């Protein structure tokens, strides 16, 4: 997850630097809003570790929802970028924080603490590039 997001952010930075991608004003507004929502969901690196797994997973899902909502309002390169970012974070949708008990889980699995951290770091990278897009 983190590797894919790193590649996406590097490609976005390259396109912005080479002026192959010049975000429209409306795209910058959407990027700024999405960046703020990602930051609100995941926050600073030390914050999530004090949260329960249930709360960490809820925040990761909030971040993924913020990307999906932003994607619904754009077209072109920003939409392609957000779609690829949401796809990279898709494993979050299959995670569960609660024990399964004796029943089926619809294929949901409990992530490791490292997977939570990796997902949070990936979202922070997305926050950073969306902030950059918003100010370009």
């Amino acid at each position: 997850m983190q590797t894919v997001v790193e590649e996406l952010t590097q490609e976005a930075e390259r396109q912005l630097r080479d002026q192959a991608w010049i975000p429209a004003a409306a795209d910058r507004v959407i990027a700024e809003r999405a960046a703020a929502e990602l930051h609100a969901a995941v926050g600073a690196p030390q914050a999530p570790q004090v949260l329960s797994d249930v709360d960490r997973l809820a925040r990761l899902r909030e971040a993924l929802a913020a990307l999906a909502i932003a994607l619904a309002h754009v077209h072109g390169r920003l939409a392609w970028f957000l779609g690829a970012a949401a796809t990279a974070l898709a494993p979050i949708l299959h995670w569960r924080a609660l024990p399964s008990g004796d029943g089926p889980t619809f294929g949901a699995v409990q992530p490791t603490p490292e997977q939570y951290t990796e997902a949070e770091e990936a979202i922070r990278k997305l926050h950073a590039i969306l902030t950059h897009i918003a100010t370009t």
Side-chain angles (χ1 to χ4, degrees):
M1 183 181 308
Q2 198 168 8
T3 301
V4 173
V5 169
E6 180 69 32
E7 290 170 0
L8 286 172
T9 59
Q10 288 174 356
E11 177 63 21
E13 288 170 349
R14 194 169 27 259
Q15 288 187 27
L16 292 165
R17 182 183 58 247
D18 296 345
Q19 295 187 339
W21 178 11
I22 301 171
D27 288 347
R28 290 192 304 272
V29 169
I30 297 293
E32 182 177 28
R33 186 178 315 137
E37 290 175 5
L38 294 183
H39 182 71
V42 176
Q46 69 277 13
Q49 282 68 20
V50 298
L51 299 173
S52 70
D53 287 350
V54 171
D55 290 334
R56 286 178 84 180
L57 183 54
R59 288 175 178 234
L60 290 169
R61 289 176 179 163
E62 286 174 26
L64 186 53
L67 290 175
I69 290 168
L71 175 60
H73 296 284
V74 295
H75 302 282
R77 290 185 197 268
L78 184 57
W80 304 333
F81 174 78
L82 293 171
T87 299
L89 298 175
I92 292 168
L93 298 173
H94 301 285
W95 291 355
R96 62 181 170 82
L98 300 175
S100 64
D102 293 330
T105 63
F106 300 98
V109 297
Q110 285 189 297
T112 65
E114 293 79 18
Q115 287 174 305
Y116 279 117
T117 301
E118 178 182 348
E120 291 157 351
E121 286 302 314
I123 290 168
R124 287 186 191 99
K125 286 186 183 301
L126 291 170
H127 165 262
I129 190 66
L130 286 167
T131 299
H132 179 66
I133 291 167
T135 60
T136 299

